[in-house]
Amino acid sequence: MATDPVRATAPATPADPATPTAAGSVTAADPVVRYERSGPVATVTMNRPAYRNAQNSAMTYALDGAFYEASADDAVKVIVLAGAGAHFSSGHDIGTPGRDAHLPFDRRAGLWWDHRGKAGAEGRFARESEVYLGMCRRWRELPKPVIAAVQGACVAGGLMLAWVCDLIVASEDAFFADPVVRMGIPGVEYFAHPWVLPPRVAKELLYTGDRMTARRAHELGMVNRVVPREQLAARTRELAERVAAMPRMGLALAKRAVNQAEDLQGLHGGLDAAFALHHLAHAHNAETSADPLGGMDIRAMKAGTEAGGA
């Protein structure tokens, strides 16, 4: 099917200020999120491949804009969330040249005040209530089905993006990990672990920080399908088109019914409780170590996920 040429890129999507090209130079031409519609399927693609699609605030708000556009477009029945390059997402940006946690953005996911200029826990809680927990909750409630196409790394904040999707198609080389316990933090902000995994498996994922293979994730029900890497886009598209054949209202109500059942099982309250513990850990780190991240940087976190998982 032909791609809509007018909507090939989401409007007002900021470019990454320091993305190396294949030749090694730097360009600001590419947006951090690409948006395209082909027939009833909109594809939203994270586009920081040089940094394993690490999520800075610019990407978070660009994702929100793309999801909002897809939701508002009557021609779109299903949304695919993908990551450019070798990896879906390595998580939150904690050390690339495009890190922008200090910058203000127009708030969309909650009523907490601007984090900029707020010291200590106040600033961190305000920002993460918006860009992490708040945005994930907002996207989970999108009334159209969202399918994640996951390849390579889906780590920490990458898990949050995959978990808010309704379905997950993973390539055979995909792996999943939440290594933030190495920071002294109990898990990522959107703490859906005990709902997407059996509790003992969720604990193992957190306690060890090890990688979980796509096959293991499929056995446990966290992933819907595992496909060869070269078939990921096509097989995800096939599933999206099959879902798109259903009535829009029926899909929206079915999604809401399942989400409400999860909330009745405690997901909503569990997220709030875990988010509070997450920020207790940040505050503890700030008092007892080099910084709120427990002195861990991107290299240390990457090294910690090199071990193989089940």
Side-chain angles (χ1 to χ4, degrees):
M1 296 182 182
T3 299
D4 184 341
V6 178
R7 307 302 316 132
T9 301
T13 301
D16 193 318
T19 300
T21 65
S25 60
V26 174
T27 177
D30 291 335
V32 293
V33 168
R34 299 198 309 264
Y35 180 98
E36 61 183 359
R37 181 179 65 79
S38 177
V41 180
T43 301
V44 176
T45 305
M46 294 176 283
N47 191 38
R48 302 186 74 205
Y51 306 116
R52 296 186 172 192
N53 294 317
Q55 305 155 28
N56 57 8
S57 292
M59 176 181 281
T60 300
Y61 283 94
L63 284 171
D64 189 70
F67 286 143
Y68 190 92
E69 179 169 357
S71 181
D73 186 349
D74 284 345
V76 173
K77 297 284 293 294
V78 179
I79 301 160
V80 170
L81 174 63
H87 301 281
F88 179 74
S89 178
S90 59
H92 301 324
D93 186 344
I94 62 172
T96 82
R99 190 180 186 199
D100 54 9
H102 61 293
L103 298 178
F105 288 82
D106 292 336
R107 305 180 70 79
R108 302 177 190 172
L111 295 175
W112 277 90
W113 44 81
D114 186 2
H115 68 283
R116 186 179 44 160
K118 310 300 189 300
E122 179 183 8
R124 184 173 292 273
F125 191 90
R127 178 174 183 269
E128 295 192 357
S129 294
E130 165 80 1
V131 298
Y132 296 156
L133 180 60
M135 284 294 191
C136 284
R137 278 179 162 163
R138 177 175 165 91
W139 300 335
R140 176 178 176 258
E141 296 304 316
L142 199 158
K144 296 179 180 179
V146 185
I147 304 174
V150 177
Q151 80 282 7
C154 182
V155 175
L159 290 175
M160 294 167 47
L161 295 184
W163 286 346
V164 300
C165 296
D166 303 291
L167 305 175
I168 301 175
V169 180
S171 63
E172 293 171 339
D173 69 336
F175 63 90
F176 305 85
D178 187 358
V180 301
V181 174
R182 291 194 179 92
M183 296 178 173
I185 296 171
V188 290
E189 295 84 354
Y190 184 82
F191 193 86
H193 308 61
W195 284 268
V196 298
L197 292 167
R200 285 189 178 84
V201 178
K203 288 177 181 178
E204 180 182 1
L205 188 78
L206 292 164
Y207 292 176
T208 65
D210 286 347
R211 297 177 177 183
M212 177 182 290
T213 65
R215 290 291 178 192
R216 177 63 170 156
H218 181 261
E219 291 170 0
L220 294 165
M222 191 178 84
V223 164
N224 296 91
R225 300 182 182 182
V226 179
V227 301
R229 175 67 182 85
E230 65 275 12
Q231 297 179 20
L232 179 62
R235 298 281 291 275
T236 303
R237 174 77 193 195
E238 289 173 6
L239 179 59
E241 290 181 343
R242 183 172 179 180
V243 173
M246 292 291 191
R248 178 174 59 193
M249 190 62 171
L251 288 170
L253 295 179
K255 176 170 182 171
R256 188 166 183 83
V258 175
N259 283 1
Q260 286 176 332
E262 285 188 309
D263 289 339
L264 289 170
Q265 293 166 357
L267 174 60
H268 195 281
L271 290 174
D272 285 336
F275 190 65
L277 295 174
H278 182 98
H279 281 274
L280 172 61
H282 277 313
H284 177 74
N285 284 343
E287 290 193 31
T288 61
S289 63
D291 56 46
L293 301 182
M296 298 291 285
D297 61 17
I298 192 168
R299 290 182 180 84
M301 294 301 290
K302 180 182 177 183
T305 60
E306 291 300 327

